[in-house]
Amino acid sequence: MSDQQRITVRVPAKINISLAIGPLRADGFHELTTVFQAVDLYDVVTAERAEGISLALQGPEATGLVADDTNLAWRAAALLAEAADRSRIGVALRVSKFIPVAAGLAGGSADAAAALLACDLLWGLGTPRAELDALAARLGSDVTFALHGHTALGTGRGEHLSPISTAAEFHWVLAVAGRGLSTPSVYRELDRQREASGGPADGAAPDRVVAALQAGDCTALADAMGNDLQSAALALAPELARTLEAGVSAGALAGMVAGSGPTCVFLARDRATAQSIARDIQASGTCRFAVAVLGNVAGARPATLPADQ
Ligand code: C5P
């Protein structure tokens, strides 16, 4: 056991620059090929020594979330304790939410990844990375990526990762909607659309996105990015069409729905343009808020923060 009393971990949101969805599998998940990128919008998870497991949620995006044992951060702590055969060790978890919930940005998965890492450090378990990855995959399709961060190709249901190296800086704008969308309902709508149209339409092109990233070519990336879930998200939230239009008229190189939505994500030429696009989208009134973010940041990492954070 370590003698640490308290560990703080910072964990990023993710976007899918390409999300190509294959068939529905027998286990209820879809086979997919995706290009993940971590962006610098972070949740912060603090783990403190305690008896049993408890959870407190705070921060601007915590509204409506329930702090009980169904929360993915709590489940992550319980799963790690069970895997380590230390069911009697405890933790008081505190999650500061800045990543919007049910937004297609994997905020819940991020909290699970951060809780895994924080508890591993707090409890001094030294769980090998491959085992943490396996536990992460049991918690959710995007949890493994939240541990790793940066940019990666994801296959299977998203949990098998190969890093993609890119030297360029990528500037994005996130336009966050005034409501959430449930991921399973967006996948169900995609299946319904595909059934109605007689099969999958070829959309997202992960190979072209990987090539554009490796070349650091923003224009090629704008041309290649795409999301097979977009038409389903638009069917469930038609108002997003206006958000997408607002971003492109504000000067984005391209825009699309982020993951299962309803956040929309826009690629910008540089940081200053991203900031001005964010201001213009916000002013258009087509989203709850818009923010410029930087891509390709690290995954869940211990952070040194002031004691009151
Ligand atoms: O893995 P996660 O809990 O994030 O997935 C949430 C839901 O999204 C799943 O229950 C499933 O309906 C859908 N999903 C899917 N195929 C994937 C990932 C998620 O159908 N590859």
Side-chain angles (χ1 to χ4, degrees):
M1 295 279 273
S2 77
D3 52 11
Q4 289 270 23
Q5 292 299 310
R6 177 187 163 119
I7 301 284
T8 297
V9 168
R10 191 171 81 149
V11 63
K14 63 86 190 156
I15 56 171
N16 303 81
I17 306 178
S18 181
L19 180 51
I21 314 235
L24 176 62
R25 310 191 313 203
D27 64 2
F29 289 88
H30 293 74
E31 197 64 24
L32 55 79
T33 305
T34 187
V35 177
F36 288 114
Q37 187 164 78
V39 296
D40 69 345
L41 174 63
Y42 296 100
D43 277 353
V44 178
V45 174
T46 299
E48 233 170 309
R49 285 187 173 276
E51 302 241 326
I53 299 176
S54 66
L55 173 65
L57 299 168
Q58 61 184 41
E61 297 295 327
T63 316
L65 277 178
V66 181
D68 65 11
D69 61 1
T70 61
N71 184 288
L72 219 44
W74 183 311
R75 285 170 48 202
L79 182 65
L80 183 66
E82 184 197 309
D85 206 13
R86 306 261 193 98
S87 50
R88 279 171 309 174
I89 51 183
V91 62
L93 289 169
R94 186 151 41 92
V95 179
S96 298
K97 294 281 321 156
F98 299 92
I99 307 173
V101 177
L105 300 171
S109 301
D111 300 341
L116 271 183
L117 184 62
C119 290
D120 187 58
L121 293 168
L122 184 75
W123 296 336
L125 299 174
T127 309
R129 182 37 84 101
E131 277 175 41
L132 270 191
D133 281 356
L135 294 174
R138 283 173 59 187
L139 291 161
S141 308
D142 298 331
V143 182
T144 318
F145 178 73
L147 277 177
H148 287 252
H150 296 292
T151 306
L153 188 71
T155 53
R157 60 186 171 92
E159 81 281 33
H160 300 305
L161 299 175
S162 356
I164 299 169
S165 63
T166 176
E169 277 195 352
F170 294 97
H171 296 277
W172 304 95
V173 177
L174 304 177
V176 176
R179 58 148 157 171
L181 276 180
S182 115
T183 303
S185 68
V186 179
Y187 274 97
R188 269 197 306 275
E189 172 61 18
L190 175 75
D191 291 337
R192 196 200 60 74
Q193 289 181 353
R194 284 181 169 176
E195 228 174 275
S197 71
D202 282 336
D207 293 357
R208 288 174 52 219
V209 165
V210 172
L213 285 166
Q214 287 169 337
D217 184 340
C218 229
T219 313
L221 189 64
D223 190 47
M225 61 194 245
N227 178 2
D228 283 358
L229 283 180
Q230 176 157 313
S231 62
L234 282 171
L236 298 178
E239 70 275 14
L240 297 180
R242 289 186 52 229
T243 317
L244 290 171
E245 273 166 35
V248 173
S249 352
L253 295 169
M256 66 181 176
V257 169
S260 54
T263 301
C264 293
V265 57
F266 302 90
L267 180 60
R269 202 171 300 283
D270 52 37
R271 179 183 295 273
T273 316
Q275 284 165 345
S276 99
I277 293 169
R279 279 193 298 273
D280 286 0
I281 301 179
Q282 179 109 31
S284 76
T286 60
C287 64
R288 178 160 64 92
F289 70 90
V291 61
V293 292
L294 176 68
N296 201 29
V297 299
R301 295 286 183 278
T304 316
L305 293 167
D308 60 347
Q309 230 176 321

